[in-house]
Amino acid sequence: MKISHKGILTTVMNILGMGIALSVFMILMIQVRWDLTYDRNFPGHEKVFRVENNLMDGGLFTTFMSRPMIEAVRTSSPGIEAAGTFTYSTGEVFYREGDKGSAITIPVASVDSSMLDVFPFEFVQGSADGFGIRGTAILDEVFAGMIFGKESAVGQILETGEGGKYRILGVFRTTPRNCSIHYGIVTGLGDRQLENFSEWSFASFLKLRDPKESKEVESEMIDALAKLYGHEGGSSSEEDLKTLRSSFRITNLHDAYFERDVRANVVGGNKAITMTLAAIAFLLILIASINFINFAFARIPFRIKGINTRKVLGASRGSLTWVQLGEAALLSLVAFALSVLILHVVSGTEISSFVSDSLKVGDNAGLLCLTLGIALATSVIAGVAPALYSTSQPAALVLKGSYALSVKGRTLRNVLIAVQFILSFIFIIFALYVNKQAKYLMGKDMGFQQENVLQVWCGYYAGNHAKEVESRLLQYPAIADVTFADSPIVAEQRMGWSRSDDAQTVFMEVTPVTEDFVEFFGLQIVQGRDFQSSDNLSAGGTMIPNETFMEGFPQYRVGSFLNGHSGESKAEIIGVVKDFNFKPLRSAMGPMVLYNWGKDGWRSFCMMYVKMAPGASFKEASDAVKDAVCAFDPTRERNQVAVRHLDEWIDAMYQNEQSLGKLVGIASAIALLIAIIGIIGLVFFETEFLRKEIALRRVNGASVESILLMIARKYLIMTGVSFMIAAPLVYWLISMWGQSFAYRAPVGVWIFLLSLLLVGAITLLVVLLQSRKAASENPVNSLRNE
């Protein structure tokens, strides 16, 4: 009966380990599938390329260009079938004409008509006929239903909070979420900025006739841009032309998703992370499969007499093999069913937020089939190999009690357990570092004050009344200070400008701000002065570049002038601000300018920052902000005004790193659990063949403690050797993964030592608990059985 209880326990542990591993495998592979199919979900995706340049920011590429450049690209090569122009907004308020009560915020993209040839939309109502003219738009079917219900949206007029109007020409089917063009409304770009060389806020996507000719198209495109900028016919040096040729490239859209040297203000992946997750998923399955097979071998001592008894009574070797194969298959099916149940449960928990795609069982039929195939393949090995071995032993010796596993077989099992240990160490150390890196990014000083600061997208309508909104808010005791900007203080990318002088073309990112922005955030002026109220009367505006700008363009100093936004009027550089991180910390520092519009700002501010008074509650301050915004923006309701702590906004930018850390952490815990289960099985197995040796040692006076130490020593040595193999491998992995960050946390020896102590302690505990009974058993019983 006791053996039966052990058999039940080991079977349950085997199913549990395999089931959990299969479920984690599916969760990780759902994310991997999302990344590997990004922008591969529409016909002709292999022909679509993105135009990129590195003129803006110290070798890093960007997708933003001026429209005249895009027009030059459009006709540059016969290999270009279509060239689309694209710009986007995070969200704008739209409502039915004359019905502000229907206002909702919709993510917006503005494109020219050619963009619809690059990214084909499937229309469920109307069409794109006439699209491209300013004032026309096509609408996503979900948003069409939210605004118009069952009424047709075609021909309807949508108004914006800024007073613009758009006529809906068609309703398109919702594009997949893992697609670069995933917006609620797509508006016609018309001739906006068509002749402005200085406004770099547009991206270009090309559809090539033959993607194999991409290099030829790229070369012809660069020739056209060289001609546009006068870098041909001897008008520029060979060095200038060489620089220009190395400054542009086109990249297939799916490949662009994984680029790490580009800032595109669109979703981007990390191929290293994707491959890491895929490797973890398959290595986890490898660990579980090894464990499953090991358990099958671990059961041999308790089944071999019964198997060979049936063999003596006439059962064929084939029939005995099929029985064990069927049992292994049944266990695999139960484990698979458990994994599906776990996936179903997890899909409704917070863990689902770590993955970009749906975890629902019904949305992952293909992956379920793959996982079932892996489970059944494992069962074949776990059924056939032990069956062949157990039925190959001489029945007479087995029935007499002289069965023992061969030296090669025991060595193989030890090697398999060591592999589990190595992979467990890799998972644990990598998980510890990923979490350390995420905490490092979120905790690092960005160079400006974040404490008690709220960030609000107030919209241009309220931003047009910035002074009035500020005056109203400062009447509340919960509000200590208010400032405004044209973009978030921390963002992947913001408005890009190019300006020409006698020395070179100057590229920079620009953040228009109110005059109190520097003081509000505690930024440090290292040269010159801060903005003043009198700067609001300047004709061309005033600028405060960062230190990186001044280092990159040494021809400028405090007192120099640079073309601003207003005609012939120039903006004066009045000061220099100490570098602060205006991008997430995975990005390096670049040239950036804080800009005061002056008296003729061409648009209002859309971002508002509010500093709470000491001791003020978030709710009190948030309610005041919502009331103030809605008082000056009649198109918005209070529940449409999102108020967030600035530090939470910044932390959210590291969602990928946090999610990766949690996924790897889960995988590490599962890997260690399965390795422990494997150790239990191995010790369980080994002690069956050490009974005689243990009994003889006990008879000769050995203590239980000395025997336990003898057994534990083997596994501690195995743990140490596995750690020595895993440590350099995981250090290399960490180094490769860390290359995608401009700022990296030190690796730290403690991460390695902690993993060694953790695995070593757990291994020792498991081995001692498992082998204690064998060591404590009456030696007379063991010797009698032998």
Side-chain angles (χ1 to χ4, degrees):
M1 183 63 66
K2 292 180 180 179
I3 293 178
S4 177
H5 286 166
K6 288 182 178 180
I8 293 174
L9 178 61
T10 56
T11 298
V12 170
M13 293 175 66
N14 201 10
I15 292 173
L16 185 63
M18 191 66 174
I20 294 175
L22 291 174
S23 64
V24 175
F25 169 80
M26 287 190 285
I27 291 171
L28 296 178
M29 289 305 296
I30 286 171
Q31 179 63 52
V32 171
R33 181 188 63 196
W34 168 277
D35 290 334
L36 294 183
T37 59
Y38 204 94
D39 275 327
R40 287 179 166 173
N41 38 40
F42 62 92
H45 62 82
E46 70 282 354
K47 296 182 177 182
V48 179
F49 287 71
R50 189 170 72 187
V51 182
E52 302 164 355
N53 71 85
N54 68 354
L55 297 172
M56 183 71 69
D57 189 4
L60 286 174
F61 282 80
T62 176
T63 59
F64 289 143
M65 305 165 63
S66 67
R67 285 203 71 181
M69 295 171 69
I70 295 174
E71 293 306 304
V73 169
R74 187 185 306 278
T75 57
S76 63
S77 170
I80 298 176
E81 182 178 328
T85 307
F86 165 89
T87 189
Y88 88 108
S89 170
T90 53
E92 290 185 23
V93 175
F94 288 83
Y95 52 88
R96 297 182 64 159
E97 186 176 24
D99 181 12
K100 295 180 179 179
S102 64
I104 61 173
T105 301
I106 307 178
V108 185
S110 295
V111 305
D112 60 8
S113 57
S114 296
M115 195 67 176
L116 273 63
D117 296 323
V118 178
F119 288 91
F121 288 83
E122 181 182 352
F123 286 91
V124 295
Q125 295 179 28
S127 68
D129 292 344
F131 180 81
I133 302 172
R134 293 195 71 178
T136 59
I138 54 178
L139 188 62
D140 173 87
E141 62 179 334
V142 173
F143 286 97
M146 292 170 64
I147 300 175
F148 300 104
K150 295 183 179 180
E151 184 180 354
S152 174
V154 177
Q156 301 274 12
I157 303 295
L158 286 182
E159 293 189 51
T160 71
E162 300 300 306
K165 292 187 177 183
Y166 293 91
R167 182 167 61 90
I168 304 301
L169 300 178
V171 176
F172 58 88
R173 193 175 303 282
T174 302
T175 55
R177 289 191 301 119
N178 60 337
C179 178
S180 293
I181 304 299
H182 185 74
Y183 293 89
I185 187 169
V186 180
T187 63
L189 192 57
D191 59 357
R192 174 180 160 192
Q193 306 289 348
L194 192 58
E195 298 180 358
N196 188 347
F197 281 85
S198 298
E199 180 61 32
W200 286 47
S201 57
F202 303 94
S204 180
F205 296 88
L206 309 179
K207 184 175 183 180
L208 306 189
R209 301 185 189 280
D210 184 353
K212 295 179 181 178
E213 298 178 354
S214 60
K215 288 302 179 183
E216 290 84 345
V217 171
E218 182 180 80
S219 178
E220 291 168 341
M221 176 192 76
I222 293 173
D223 287 342
L225 291 170
K227 183 177 181 180
L228 179 70
Y229 278 92
H231 292 305
E232 47 85 36
S235 58
S236 293
S237 68
E238 188 62 32
E239 186 64 28
D240 286 341
L241 186 57
K242 182 179 179 181
T243 299
L244 186 71
R245 287 192 174 279
S246 64
S247 298
F248 287 89
R249 71 186 185 194
I250 62 174
T251 307
N252 177 263
L253 196 56
H254 172 69
D255 296 334
Y257 172 73
F258 286 116
E259 286 181 321
R260 302 303 294 166
D261 63 343
V262 65
R263 296 172 182 160
N265 250 359
V266 295
V267 175
N270 185 324
K271 200 159 193 175
I273 291 177
T274 301
M275 294 299 101
T276 299
L277 290 178
I280 289 173
F282 282 100
L283 290 175
L284 195 59
I285 286 294
L286 177 61
I287 291 177
S289 298
I290 290 172
N291 197 63
F292 196 84
I293 295 167
N294 273 342
F295 259 98
F297 275 100
R299 296 174 64 195
I300 292 177
F302 310 104
R303 306 185 62 193
I304 193 164
K305 285 188 177 181
I307 291 172
N308 281 275
T309 298
R310 291 194 293 273
K311 184 177 178 183
V312 170
L313 294 176
S316 66
R317 188 179 182 187
S319 64
L320 293 173
T321 301
W322 275 107
V323 169
Q324 294 185 65
L325 178 59
E327 291 177 358
L330 178 61
L331 292 180
S332 291
L333 290 175
V334 173
F336 173 72
L338 175 62
S339 71
V340 174
L341 177 62
I342 294 173
L343 183 65
H344 171 70
V345 172
V346 167
S347 66
T349 68
E350 184 185 354
I351 295 177
S352 63
S353 65
F354 305 161
V355 181
S356 301
D357 208 355
S358 169
L359 294 184
K360 293 181 179 179
V361 173
D363 295 335
N364 296 286
L367 186 56
L368 289 173
C369 292
L370 172 63
T371 307
L372 176 59
I374 291 174
L376 292 176
T378 301
S379 71
V380 170
I381 301 174
V384 172
L388 292 178
Y389 184 86
S390 61
T391 58
S392 66
Q393 304 300 314
L397 291 177
V398 171
L399 295 176
K400 189 177 180 181
S402 301
Y403 164 72
L405 186 64
S406 68
V407 174
K408 288 184 178 180
R410 295 173 68 179
T411 301
L412 174 62
R413 285 176 52 78
N414 290 334
V415 170
L416 293 177
I417 292 295
V419 170
Q420 289 183 323
F421 269 123
I422 292 170
L423 296 177
S424 296
F425 275 122
I426 291 175
F427 286 173
I428 293 169
I429 296 171
F430 186 66
L432 289 172
Y433 182 76
V434 169
N435 280 286
K436 181 181 180 181
Q437 175 68 10
K439 291 178 180 178
Y440 173 80
L441 294 176
M442 293 185 287
K444 190 177 186 303
D445 182 13
M446 301 285 286
F448 57 86
Q449 295 177 7
Q450 303 177 41
E451 188 177 2
N452 290 328
V453 175
L454 305 179
Q455 178 172 280
V456 186
W457 187 80
C458 63
Y460 292 109
Y461 204 99
N464 195 40
H465 302 276
K467 288 297 182 183
E468 294 95 323
V469 173
E470 181 178 359
S471 297
R472 177 180 175 125
L473 284 174
L474 291 178
Q475 296 175 15
Y476 292 89
I479 306 300
D481 201 0
V482 180
T483 193
F484 291 82
D486 187 59
S487 63
I489 187 171
V490 179
E492 290 285 357
Q493 193 160 348
R494 62 205 68 233
M495 181 167 57
W497 281 4
S498 69
R499 296 293 185 267
S500 298
D501 60 24
D502 294 336
Q504 65 184 120
T505 301
V506 179
F507 300 96
M508 55 191 163
E509 293 183 59
V510 182
T511 303
V513 299
T514 51
E515 70 274 9
D516 53 0
F517 185 88
V518 171
E519 181 181 1
F520 180 96
F521 282 106
L523 301 176
Q524 183 180 345
I525 300 295
V526 294
Q527 295 180 41
R529 65 171 177 86
D530 191 3
F531 293 119
Q532 300 173 353
S533 298
S534 59
D535 293 325
N536 295 329
L537 303 177
S538 170
T542 49
M543 291 181 170
I544 300 181
N546 66 353
E547 292 173 303
T548 298
F549 176 94
M550 301 301 285
E551 292 169 2
F553 306 109
Q555 65 268 36
Y556 295 103
R557 60 185 183 275
V558 174
S560 298
F561 287 85
L562 193 63
N563 288 333
H565 71 93
S566 177
E568 299 298 324
S569 299
K570 294 182 178 291
E572 181 183 3
I573 297 176
I574 60 170
V576 179
V577 66
K578 181 178 177 63
D579 280 341
F580 65 94
N581 292 106
F582 59 95
K583 297 177 183 292
L585 292 173
R586 65 178 71 90
S587 302
M589 191 67 64
M592 191 274 294
V593 170
L594 299 175
Y595 186 38
N596 181 298
W597 287 121
K599 66 179 181 180
D600 296 317
W602 61 275
R603 69 182 180 196
S604 56
F605 301 102
C606 62
M607 299 301 303
M608 178 170 67
Y609 291 94
V610 177
K611 189 173 296 181
M612 296 192 299
S617 70
F618 172 76
K619 185 178 186 308
E620 186 180 4
S622 177
D623 287 343
V625 169
K626 291 179 180 181
D627 289 340
V629 171
C630 292
F632 292 93
D633 187 350
T635 68
R636 300 175 75 185
E637 301 293 334
R638 293 181 82 258
N639 61 3
Q640 295 175 324
V641 182
V643 183
R644 302 182 65 179
H645 285 283
L646 176 58
D647 52 2
E648 291 179 357
W649 161 268
I650 295 173
D651 288 351
M653 293 184 173
Y654 307 116
Q655 183 63 46
N656 285 343
E657 289 73 28
Q658 295 179 64
S659 295
L660 174 66
K662 292 172 182 176
L663 287 173
V664 176
I666 292 171
S668 302
I670 300 304
L672 182 57
L673 173 63
I674 295 172
I676 291 169
I677 292 174
I679 295 169
I680 293 173
L682 184 59
V683 175
F684 196 38
F685 178 83
E686 291 283 335
T687 53
E688 290 300 313
F689 301 100
L690 290 174
R691 287 185 181 277
K692 184 176 181 179
E693 180 181 348
I694 291 172
L696 290 173
R697 288 176 179 270
R698 288 290 308 281
V699 168
N700 290 313
S703 66
V704 172
E705 289 73 18
S706 64
I707 292 173
L708 290 176
L709 181 61
M710 176 196 73
I711 298 173
R713 185 183 296 114
K714 166 188 173 181
Y715 294 96
L716 290 178
I717 292 174
M718 185 185 297
T719 301
V721 172
S722 299
F723 174 78
M724 293 175 65
I725 296 173
L729 292 176
V730 75
Y731 184 81
W732 173 81
L733 177 62
I734 288 172
S735 300
M736 294 297 293
W737 181 73
Q739 290 179 5
S740 60
F741 297 90
Y743 301 87
R744 294 186 289 274
V747 177
V749 176
W750 70 266
I751 293 178
F752 292 83
L753 294 179
L754 179 61
S755 67
L756 179 59
L757 290 174
L758 176 65
V759 176
I762 293 175
T763 301
L764 182 61
L765 179 63
V766 169
V767 171
L768 292 178
L769 290 176
Q770 273 292 101
S771 56
R772 185 173 185 81
K773 183 176 181 180
S776 304
E777 189 176 4
N778 189 333
V780 175
N781 294 333
S782 296
L783 292 174
R784 182 185 301 121
N785 291 334
E786 289 295 328

